[in-house]
Amino acid sequence: MDSLATARFRRFARAVTAEVGALDSSFLGRGRPLGAARVLNAVGAGRTEVGEIRAYLGLDSGLMSRLLRSLEEEGLVATAPHPADARRRVASLTEAGRGEFEAYEALSDARAVALLERASHADDLLHAMDRVALVLGQEAIGIVEADPTREPARACLAAYYAELATRFPGGFDVALSFDPEAAAMVRPRGTFLLAVADGLPVGCVGLKGDGGPVAEIKRLWVDPAARGLGLARRLMRAAEAAARDLGIRTLRLDTNSALPEALALYRRSGWVEIDRFNDDPYPDLFFEKTL
Amino acid sequence: MDSLATARFRRFARAVTAEVGALDSSFLGRGRPLGAARVLNAVGAGRTEVGEIRAYLGLDSGLMSRLLRSLEEEGLVATAPHPADARRRVASLTEAGRGEFEAYEALSDARAVALLERASHADDLLHAMDRVALVLGQEAIGIVEADPTREPARACLAAYYAELATRFPGGFDVALSFDPEAAAMVRPRGTFLLAVADGLPVGCVGLKGDGGPVAEIKRLWVDPAARGLGLARRLMRAAEAAARDLGIRTLRLDTNSALPEALALYRRSGWVEIDRFNDDPYPDLFFEKTL
DNA sequence: CGACATATCTGACTAAAGTCAGGCATCATG
DNA sequence: CATGATGCCTGACTTTAGTCAGATATGTCG
């Protein structure tokens, strides 16, 4: 680790500290101390259990309790015993609390918009920010099932098709490809998995089944900002686990030699090349794996 | 500005806030409150005037005064009236203060190293961090004269040669090129300019003269993380201003068609193509501009 | 049931940060 | 050289954050 790298990191930290600090101070404009605002926002973001919020914000239990009391006195949150364990308490926003929470959200959004508008190359900047956020928070990337016909998944699929269009020599048109019907990628026939980082999708994979013992892996894609973190491998492993769970014994997939990273991954993880098994015009390589 | 962009920005802010907070709390390990540590570090970083530090840290004048007093009582800083205006005061580190400052620097460096070591793709991450820092802090990029034979400039030149080696179809070897002697890029014959962001060089340009009315622009380079911010144009403008200052009337440069961004810049800013004026094997295009 | 663990709350405290009014020396200017 | 502005300082204060030692209620397990 050379001193240039630390100097570069510290330049980054300085540049970003100013922005982060500005966000904090914009939170003070609503007449309550930062601590209370942070608790309110944690509740609004869906952290309901008091202990969970305490751990997330790193607060002492006494302080936490007082902050909750002050929010209750303001009429912004209500607390109730946890239904399954009356020692614990759960907090929730009241009507007024939801309004305050949304005001804080609007402040955050406004800051984001202001910053991105003053930056000359916003999409490029965002890509760099994605990269930083994903590498720093890579342990926080989770894999969840999702409906392939609905929003977070559709954005991933659109990004996947767009990337194929740039990488295949002759472009790519979904309409010409064998687009699997959605039901084939929904339980019980198959599944569709999303990699999610802090609420935003960063990768996907589909498992397309027909109820029998053979299924196909489809639409494996990872956001460019999240590449190199082993996410494709995690998605594939999760898809294989789901396949086993559905009683599938053999997996197949088709791919294209224009996607060398994917090929390397398949070859590394136990897939063997087989003969063409469909008439889709795009793929030129076919693989199989026995579970 | 769509909501996806703000969500991505906010994911970035969350990921980075944790790191920044960790740095702050590591600063608490030296037995003095954060406020005092921040003042000490500001003085160590070269901000000597009390008012300047106050503005930089956003402190009330009373608070600032007290923090300075506490550092004086610890024997870490000394203050004296400003030589030109006895109302103002300047602070400086004592011997002990320099030691403490270096201890804080060591803490910062250690955090940087720890973070970069735990990141899987450190150089890629650093590039993204550079991009974020440079776009966010672009107004803070300054242009200064530098000795082309000494360190910050040499790093730029090395990066420039390395880039040419990857971009020229047949590679690039400085030894085969006409490497201008250093004295030709130092006043009074010429000059060498660096673009500096927060202490680190991010671009350069040389003005090579022989004392006569004709000089050459050489070694125009901008760090990839700083491209698109108009820095090349600023460097060229500064070099032209320096040339005028040195009594130069005509500027020339040689370049290569493998560098289309540079060509576009020259054509946009009043340069006209001329015939080959040297035997350097690398350039294939030649330009001139009358000042 | 008793013993112990867990989750939150309350009261009493300290430290740090921040605010405000006024004081004092110094400077610029007519 | 009087006048007002400037830069820093001091004293008196408030707010916020954070700590710690119990108190209270509930849960777990033998």
PDB file of all heavy atoms in Angstrom, chain B residues 141-158:
ATOM      1  N   ILE B 141      -9.675  22.612  -8.242  1.00  0.00           N
ATOM      2  CA  ILE B 141      -8.480  22.205  -8.975  1.00  0.00           C
ATOM      3  C   ILE B 141      -7.750  23.455  -9.440  1.00  0.00           C
ATOM      4  O   ILE B 141      -8.319  24.293 -10.142  1.00  0.00           O
ATOM      5  CB  ILE B 141      -8.837  21.297 -10.168  1.00  0.00           C
ATOM      6  CG1 ILE B 141      -9.568  20.049  -9.674  1.00  0.00           C
ATOM      7  CG2 ILE B 141      -7.584  20.915 -10.938  1.00  0.00           C
ATOM      8  CD1 ILE B 141      -9.989  19.093 -10.779  1.00  0.00           C
ATOM      9  N   GLY B 142      -6.515  23.593  -9.004  1.00  0.00           N
ATOM     10  CA  GLY B 142      -5.734  24.777  -9.354  1.00  0.00           C
ATOM     11  C   GLY B 142      -4.603  24.436 -10.296  1.00  0.00           C
ATOM     12  O   GLY B 142      -4.232  23.267 -10.438  1.00  0.00           O
ATOM     13  N   ILE B 143      -4.060  25.441 -10.959  1.00  0.00           N
ATOM     14  CA  ILE B 143      -2.947  25.221 -11.881  1.00  0.00           C
ATOM     15  C   ILE B 143      -1.734  25.973 -11.350  1.00  0.00           C
ATOM     16  O   ILE B 143      -1.823  27.166 -11.051  1.00  0.00           O
ATOM     17  CB  ILE B 143      -3.330  25.678 -13.300  1.00  0.00           C
ATOM     18  CG1 ILE B 143      -4.423  24.739 -13.815  1.00  0.00           C
ATOM     19  CG2 ILE B 143      -2.125  25.667 -14.221  1.00  0.00           C
ATOM     20  CD1 ILE B 143      -4.925  25.050 -15.189  1.00  0.00           C
ATOM     21  N   VAL B 144      -0.626  25.242 -11.196  1.00  0.00           N
ATOM     22  CA  VAL B 144       0.577  25.854 -10.623  1.00  0.00           C
ATOM     23  C   VAL B 144       1.789  25.488 -11.484  1.00  0.00           C
ATOM     24  O   VAL B 144       1.778  24.476 -12.182  1.00  0.00           O
ATOM     25  CB  VAL B 144       0.824  25.358  -9.179  1.00  0.00           C
ATOM     26  CG1 VAL B 144      -0.322  25.762  -8.275  1.00  0.00           C
ATOM     27  CG2 VAL B 144       1.013  23.849  -9.147  1.00  0.00           C
ATOM     28  N   GLU B 145       2.829  26.306 -11.384  1.00  0.00           N
ATOM     29  CA  GLU B 145       4.081  25.967 -12.059  1.00  0.00           C
ATOM     30  C   GLU B 145       4.831  24.933 -11.245  1.00  0.00           C
ATOM     31  O   GLU B 145       4.736  24.912 -10.014  1.00  0.00           O
ATOM     32  CB  GLU B 145       4.935  27.215 -12.211  1.00  0.00           C
ATOM     33  CG  GLU B 145       4.416  28.150 -13.270  1.00  0.00           C
ATOM     34  CD  GLU B 145       5.492  29.101 -13.783  1.00  0.00           C
ATOM     35  OE1 GLU B 145       6.619  29.103 -13.248  1.00  0.00           O
ATOM     36  OE2 GLU B 145       5.189  29.838 -14.742  1.00  0.00           O
ATOM     37  N   ALA B 146       5.563  24.077 -11.927  1.00  0.00           N
ATOM     38  CA  ALA B 146       6.320  23.062 -11.212  1.00  0.00           C
ATOM     39  C   ALA B 146       7.586  22.740 -11.991  1.00  0.00           C
ATOM     40  O   ALA B 146       7.673  22.991 -13.193  1.00  0.00           O
ATOM     41  CB  ALA B 146       5.485  21.795 -11.043  1.00  0.00           C
ATOM     42  N   ASP B 147       8.539  22.186 -11.275  1.00  0.00           N
ATOM     43  CA  ASP B 147       9.790  21.772 -11.905  1.00  0.00           C
ATOM     44  C   ASP B 147       9.564  20.415 -12.574  1.00  0.00           C
ATOM     45  O   ASP B 147       9.247  19.444 -11.900  1.00  0.00           O
ATOM     46  CB  ASP B 147      10.864  21.667 -10.815  1.00  0.00           C
ATOM     47  CG  ASP B 147      12.215  21.274 -11.386  1.00  0.00           C
ATOM     48  OD1 ASP B 147      12.258  20.690 -12.490  1.00  0.00           O
ATOM     49  OD2 ASP B 147      13.230  21.552 -10.729  1.00  0.00           O
ATOM     50  N   PRO B 148       9.720  20.325 -13.893  1.00  0.00           N
ATOM     51  CA  PRO B 148       9.407  19.064 -14.585  1.00  0.00           C
ATOM     52  C   PRO B 148      10.362  17.931 -14.222  1.00  0.00           C
ATOM     53  O   PRO B 148      10.079  16.781 -14.547  1.00  0.00           O
ATOM     54  CB  PRO B 148       9.535  19.433 -16.063  1.00  0.00           C
ATOM     55  CG  PRO B 148      10.410  20.642 -16.091  1.00  0.00           C
ATOM     56  CD  PRO B 148      10.147  21.385 -14.824  1.00  0.00           C
ATOM     57  N   THR B 149      11.464  18.235 -13.558  1.00  0.00           N
ATOM     58  CA  THR B 149      12.388  17.149 -13.208  1.00  0.00           C
ATOM     59  C   THR B 149      12.143  16.626 -11.811  1.00  0.00           C
ATOM     60  O   THR B 149      12.797  15.689 -11.383  1.00  0.00           O
ATOM     61  CB  THR B 149      13.853  17.645 -13.277  1.00  0.00           C
ATOM     62  OG1 THR B 149      14.030  18.675 -12.283  1.00  0.00           O
ATOM     63  CG2 THR B 149      14.159  18.209 -14.648  1.00  0.00           C
ATOM     64  N   ARG B 150      11.177  17.230 -11.093  1.00  0.00           N
ATOM     65  CA  ARG B 150      10.981  16.811  -9.710  1.00  0.00           C
ATOM     66  C   ARG B 150       9.654  16.115  -9.511  1.00  0.00           C
ATOM     67  O   ARG B 150       8.857  16.026 -10.426  1.00  0.00           O
ATOM     68  CB  ARG B 150      11.092  18.025  -8.786  1.00  0.00           C
ATOM     69  CG  ARG B 150      12.516  18.445  -8.598  1.00  0.00           C
ATOM     70  CD  ARG B 150      12.556  19.804  -7.958  1.00  0.00           C
ATOM     71  NE  ARG B 150      13.942  20.178  -7.698  1.00  0.00           N
ATOM     72  CZ  ARG B 150      14.593  19.880  -6.570  1.00  0.00           C
ATOM     73  NH1 ARG B 150      13.987  19.243  -5.581  1.00  0.00           N
ATOM     74  NH2 ARG B 150      15.855  20.228  -6.415  1.00  0.00           N
ATOM     75  N   GLU B 151       9.383  15.721  -8.268  1.00  0.00           N
ATOM     76  CA  GLU B 151       8.414  14.665  -8.057  1.00  0.00           C
ATOM     77  C   GLU B 151       6.966  14.832  -8.527  1.00  0.00           C
ATOM     78  O   GLU B 151       6.557  14.053  -9.345  1.00  0.00           O
ATOM     79  CB  GLU B 151       8.434  14.104  -6.657  1.00  0.00           C
ATOM     80  CG  GLU B 151       7.884  12.698  -6.594  1.00  0.00           C
ATOM     81  CD  GLU B 151       7.846  11.977  -7.954  1.00  0.00           C
ATOM     82  OE1 GLU B 151       8.820  11.427  -8.435  1.00  0.00           O
ATOM     83  OE2 GLU B 151       6.775  11.967  -8.571  1.00  0.00           O
ATOM     84  N   PRO B 152       6.224  15.795  -8.112  1.00  0.00           N
ATOM     85  CA  PRO B 152       4.829  15.658  -8.567  1.00  0.00           C
ATOM     86  C   PRO B 152       4.752  15.657 -10.091  1.00  0.00           C
ATOM     87  O   PRO B 152       3.983  14.908 -10.679  1.00  0.00           O
ATOM     88  CB  PRO B 152       4.124  16.869  -7.959  1.00  0.00           C
ATOM     89  CG  PRO B 152       5.177  17.724  -7.373  1.00  0.00           C
ATOM     90  CD  PRO B 152       6.437  16.968  -7.271  1.00  0.00           C
ATOM     91  N   ALA B 153       5.615  16.455 -10.739  1.00  0.00           N
ATOM     92  CA  ALA B 153       5.571  16.519 -12.200  1.00  0.00           C
ATOM     93  C   ALA B 153       6.011  15.205 -12.827  1.00  0.00           C
ATOM     94  O   ALA B 153       5.433  14.741 -13.816  1.00  0.00           O
ATOM     95  CB  ALA B 153       6.459  17.658 -12.681  1.00  0.00           C
ATOM     96  N   ARG B 154       7.038  14.582 -12.254  1.00  0.00           N
ATOM     97  CA  ARG B 154       7.535  13.335 -12.852  1.00  0.00           C
ATOM     98  C   ARG B 154       6.474  12.256 -12.839  1.00  0.00           C
ATOM     99  O   ARG B 154       6.384  11.450 -13.775  1.00  0.00           O
ATOM    100  CB  ARG B 154       8.777  12.867 -12.107  1.00  0.00           C
ATOM    101  CG  ARG B 154       9.958  13.795 -12.400  1.00  0.00           C
ATOM    102  CD  ARG B 154      11.177  13.371 -11.638  1.00  0.00           C
ATOM    103  NE  ARG B 154      11.576  12.014 -12.008  1.00  0.00           N
ATOM    104  CZ  ARG B 154      12.750  11.484 -11.681  1.00  0.00           C
ATOM    105  NH1 ARG B 154      13.623  12.206 -10.991  1.00  0.00           N
ATOM    106  NH2 ARG B 154      13.049  10.249 -12.020  1.00  0.00           N
ATOM    107  N   ALA B 155       5.656  12.216 -11.793  1.00  0.00           N
ATOM    108  CA  ALA B 155       4.588  11.209 -11.739  1.00  0.00           C
ATOM    109  C   ALA B 155       3.616  11.425 -12.891  1.00  0.00           C
ATOM    110  O   ALA B 155       3.165  10.466 -13.538  1.00  0.00           O
ATOM    111  CB  ALA B 155       3.857  11.288 -10.405  1.00  0.00           C
ATOM    112  N   CYS B 156       3.274  12.690 -13.171  1.00  0.00           N
ATOM    113  CA  CYS B 156       2.386  12.989 -14.302  1.00  0.00           C
ATOM    114  C   CYS B 156       3.010  12.539 -15.608  1.00  0.00           C
ATOM    115  O   CYS B 156       2.351  11.933 -16.452  1.00  0.00           O
ATOM    116  CB  CYS B 156       2.111  14.494 -14.382  1.00  0.00           C
ATOM    117  SG  CYS B 156       0.757  15.031 -13.370  1.00  0.00           S
ATOM    118  N   LEU B 157       4.273  12.860 -15.786  1.00  0.00           N
ATOM    119  CA  LEU B 157       4.930  12.496 -17.041  1.00  0.00           C
ATOM    120  C   LEU B 157       4.968  10.982 -17.199  1.00  0.00           C
ATOM    121  O   LEU B 157       4.713  10.456 -18.288  1.00  0.00           O
ATOM    122  CB  LEU B 157       6.339  13.088 -17.076  1.00  0.00           C
ATOM    123  CG  LEU B 157       6.347  14.611 -17.253  1.00  0.00           C
ATOM    124  CD1 LEU B 157       7.745  15.177 -17.079  1.00  0.00           C
ATOM    125  CD2 LEU B 157       5.786  14.981 -18.624  1.00  0.00           C
ATOM    126  N   ALA B 158       5.240  10.279 -16.107  1.00  0.00           N
ATOM    127  CA  ALA B 158       5.275   8.820 -16.179  1.00  0.00           C
ATOM    128  C   ALA B 158       3.907   8.287 -16.579  1.00  0.00           C
ATOM    129  O   ALA B 158       3.788   7.385 -17.423  1.00  0.00           O
ATOM    130  CB  ALA B 158       5.711   8.248 -14.830  1.00  0.00           C
TER     131      ALA B 158
END
